[in-house]
Amino acid sequence: MKTADLVDSHDAEVAFCHLPFLSFGQISSFNGPIQTVKSFEDNVLLKAELSKPGNGRILVVDGGGSTRLAILGDIIAGIMHDNHWAGIIINGAIRDSEEVNAMEVAVRCLGTSPKKSAKTGDGQVGIPVSFGGVTFAPGHWVYVDADGVLVARKQLVLPEE
């Protein structure tokens, strides 16, 4: 489902996340219901969520916009894949970017860093998080492709041509 088509048909129902995301993984477009994690430079909660069944959901992670430390790498991306998450959007950085890029996953992030994250477990799960001018709430829907990231309160359907 193209984000441009969603805007054309549902402009009043979608919000555009205005951040310069980088795309990694072999899956270039994805959509699904949102689950959230908020954690600054720490990936314990992110890994714990991705270790649960994804059932086609998208994990949206508010990492505070930090690109100093990576909060996802190839091992956690593999966990995400194995547990059937449709994708991940990170307001932060990843590492092992070449390996992640070769995987059958969908990742959006702000940058890369070779430095690994802290492991304190600080943060929150399942709360609304805001970045890029939009709020991502658990149960809302996100739509992602090469043109950008859109958020809607519900699953959207394009009209028949």
Side-chain angles (χ1 to χ4, degrees):
M1 190 174 299
K2 289 177 51 177
T3 57
D5 292 344
L6 284 171
V7 168
D8 291 348
S9 296
H10 298 281
D11 194 34
E13 298 173 76
V14 297
F16 172 56
C17 182
H18 191 256
L19 284 176
F21 288 113
L22 301 176
S23 177
F24 292 94
Q26 295 296 302
I27 299 172
S28 60
S29 62
F30 55 103
N31 66 77
I34 295 169
Q35 171 59 318
T36 63
V37 169
K38 182 173 182 149
S39 185
F40 184 72
E41 296 185 346
D42 189 305
N43 72 357
V44 170
L45 295 176
L46 176 154
K47 183 178 180 183
E49 279 306 297
L50 292 176
S51 295
K52 299 174 184 176
N55 300 318
R57 293 178 294 162
I58 312 296
L59 188 62
V60 177
V61 182
D62 185 359
S66 174
T67 56
R68 191 174 75 87
L69 302 177
I71 57 176
L72 180 130
D74 61 339
I75 293 171
I76 296 177
I79 292 169
M80 177 179 75
H81 174 270
D82 293 346
N83 287 312
H84 308 288
W85 288 83
I88 189 168
I89 300 167
I90 302 172
N91 183 27
I94 71 165
R95 66 189 220 159
D96 305 316
S97 60
E98 288 185 4
E99 291 84 354
V100 171
N101 204 41
M103 299 171 76
E104 284 292 320
V105 295
V107 177
R108 294 295 188 280
C109 64
L110 295 180
T112 61
S113 170
K115 306 261 307 162
K116 65 182 176 180
S117 76
K119 309 282 187 227
T120 63
D122 291 337
Q124 295 175 284
V125 175
I127 62 163
V129 297
S130 298
F131 53 85
V134 301
T135 297
F136 298 86
H140 289 183
W141 276 67
V142 65
Y143 299 86
V144 183
D145 67 8
D147 291 336
V149 174
L150 297 176
V151 180
R153 290 186 174 273
K154 62 181 181 172
Q155 185 176 13
L156 301 175
V157 178
L158 289 173
E160 297 284 331
E161 294 292 331

